[in-house]
Amino acid sequence: MRIARRFVVSGRVQGVGFRWFTHDAASREGLTGWVRNLPDGRVEAFVEGDSDAVTRVERAIRRGPGRAHVERVTIADEAPGGAYTTFSIT
């Protein structure tokens, strides 16, 4: 089943390669969407694809790259729209 989720990640998540980490995890799973830094220091990602693959990327996001310290992940389910063909860093 195809699903979409938006993640907002708080903690030490900027300046530690978090966007690249998320990009690599999502791309490996064949997911589409994007990831970006927010002005307040958080990272936001929109991920769309197979539900099992999205769940695996969620686990990776909750862990983060080695230098990150994830304090909180807010998740919102969204309707999959198929608007993206790749996963990008914006």
Side-chain angles (χ1 to χ4, degrees), residues 6-10 42 72-76:
R6 183 176 306 269
F7 301 93
V8 178
V9 188
S10 303
R42 298 178 300 165
R72 182 175 181 196
V73 180
T74 303
I75 303 168

Side-chain angles (χ1 to χ4, degrees), residues 18-28 30-37 43-48 83-90:
F18 204 96
R19 291 179 299 157
W20 284 104
F21 174 85
T22 303
H23 174 273
D24 292 349
S27 295
R28 264 193 314 276
L31 301 175
T32 61
W34 48 264
V35 60
R36 66 181 174 189
N37 283 340
V43 169
E44 179 181 30
F46 175 81
V47 180
E48 183 173 340
Y84 303 98
T85 58
T86 63
F87 196 88
S88 63
I89 297 172
T90 62

